[in-house]
Amino acid sequence: MTPTTGTVSDPDALRRRALAALLTARDRTSLLTTCVEEPELTAQHSPLMSPLVWDLAHIGNQEEMWLLRAVAGRDAMRPEIDGLYDAFEHPRSERPSLPLLAPAEARRYAAEVRGRALDVLESTPFRGSPLTDAGFAFGMIAQHEQQHDETMLITHQLRSGPTALTAPDPAPAPPFKGPAEVLVPGGPFTMGTSTEPWALDNERPAHHRLVPPFYIDTTPVTNAEYQRFIADGGYARQQWWTPAGWDMVRGNNLSAPLFWRQEGGRWLRRHFGTVEAVPPDEPVLHVSWYEADAYARWAGRRLPSEEEWEKAARHDPATDRSMRYPWGDADPTPERANLCQRHLRPAPAGSYPAGESPLGVRQLIGDVWEWTSSDFLPYPGFAAFPYREYSDVFFGGDYKVLRGGAFSVDEVACRGTFRNWDHPVRRQIFSGFRTARDADPTETV
């Protein structure tokens, strides 16, 4: 499968974009791995996560494998470590027992790989092979590093101890006074992409979907709204839960989102090393698919399907086309979406009017990953590229699709077509949701 259609019209611009994406990712990696002392890098803060030092060397190893070996045809620098940093060979819970590179050595290795990779970037023509067309391999590696940066940010949230990361809060927003939900008209739309040059294989190919009309929340569900579910006995009433979700609740004695606790009649949460009152207007965070689904049932609604979410995010009824983002085809900016770890929290619900969709749906990109009702499955015509282990091996499991990205996601790894997936029990991820409901087939905007 070729990662782009057509020809590259401006290889110099693509090369500058690739360079900027690689440097931005490395700056973030450095921040996440220098803000704590060495024992924090080598410790496993949760059996769900790798030690931070594993992620650091894995980032370098993948960059070496794809940019130095696959693109440039060079010999392996450290072939003996490939197995240590193969994500499929060793589960996360076992990685602390491996003979991993020490932090200083991992940094030297990643830096040496990066220096050589930048030389390869300067000399590689962005044409002639699926890996190099439009600089795909460089974009893939920038996305891979940013995805592991998000994983490391999750580890920082899970770790105990004092605050290691700081960032300004999102700008205060006036209370949102818009409608609670928006009608998305029924009809066909184009889902996925065959033209986005750095889109990954599970986003491809573009294809038509016929979607009945539906209503979707204008903003993600907030902490205050979720607290009403808790107060109404949401975690104590089996009727709202799937059988597997109820087993999770009872087996783990759950009563609130991860990191929440009640004290003196107030809900508090642990947030990157500090304890704070749960902000009522922020989108709820750290909820599993089972919790999102139970809330939706309690509210008399449901989770949107993946195709409904994408139509709400990308379809422009005025032009009858699918856009790259809710606001159009232009890249994200700080005025449009809460991305890139500029903040360490979601913005209040209703923020970012410049980023709303043509129908008025807000915060579809950034703030929180949004659970959908859909299983993670391939699109019609899917072809694995450049390796099966990115997507193909996950299809058909119990994975549920998340959409939209969160404050923890960089713009290089966030598009209107981007698909994330995880097990429905996962709560450590930066996940929230919005709800939907069916509309009458005759309803139009």
Side-chain angles (χ1 to χ4, degrees), residues 195-417:
T195 58
E196 186 74 29
W198 291 356
L200 303 171
D201 60 3
N202 63 63
E203 302 171 63
R204 299 172 180 274
H207 58 287
H208 295 295
R209 294 283 182 101
L210 182 63
V211 181
F214 65 97
Y215 285 93
I216 192 167
D217 289 341
T218 309
T219 69
V221 171
T222 66
N223 289 320
E225 291 168 328
Y226 198 84
Q227 285 174 27
R228 289 195 282 274
F229 167 66
I230 299 172
D232 195 42
Y235 283 85
R237 297 166 65 184
Q238 186 175 357
Q239 68 194 87
W240 308 127
W241 300 84
T242 65
W246 187 244
D247 287 345
M248 179 194 73
V249 168
R250 306 307 290 174
N252 296 279
N253 196 28
L254 302 184
S255 60
L258 186 62
F259 306 117
W260 285 31
R261 74 172 190 259
Q262 201 165 27
E263 188 175 292
R266 293 194 311 155
W267 281 108
L268 306 177
R269 70 178 182 187
R270 183 166 59 81
H271 184 73
F272 291 106
T274 64
V275 176
E276 63 181 21
V278 172
D281 296 332
E282 281 186 13
V284 67
L285 193 62
H286 297 302
V287 290
S288 67
W289 183 90
Y290 291 127
E291 290 165 294
D293 178 68
Y295 174 95
R297 293 168 188 258
W298 169 82
R301 299 170 68 82
R302 58 177 175 80
L303 295 178
S305 68
E306 184 181 13
E307 62 186 10
E308 287 174 333
W309 188 96
E310 187 168 327
K311 184 168 186 179
R314 297 185 62 215
H315 185 67
D316 181 6
T319 60
D320 195 32
R321 74 180 187 92
S322 292
M323 305 178 297
R324 296 178 68 215
Y325 298 98
W327 55 82
D329 294 333
D331 289 338
T333 63
E335 294 73 35
R336 292 178 175 134
N338 181 7
L339 294 167
C340 306
Q341 202 182 308
R342 283 188 292 267
H343 313 293
L344 288 172
R345 62 177 67 243
S351 298
Y352 303 105
E356 72 179 19
S357 75
L359 293 174
V361 188
R362 294 198 180 183
Q363 292 167 286
L364 286 158
I365 298 292
D367 286 304
V368 294
W369 284 109
E370 297 185 16
W371 288 110
T372 72
S373 65
S374 298
D375 297 331
F376 185 50
L377 296 169
Y379 290 160
F382 167 84
F385 177 84
Y387 58 105
R388 286 189 64 243
E389 290 79 9
Y390 183 72
S391 304
D392 193 32
V393 298
F394 297 101
F395 293 139
D398 73 338
Y399 300 96
K400 293 293 186 179
V401 174
L402 302 102
R403 287 302 205 102
F407 66 88
S408 52
V409 177
D410 187 80
E411 63 182 69
V412 75
C414 186
R415 296 171 284 279
T417 57

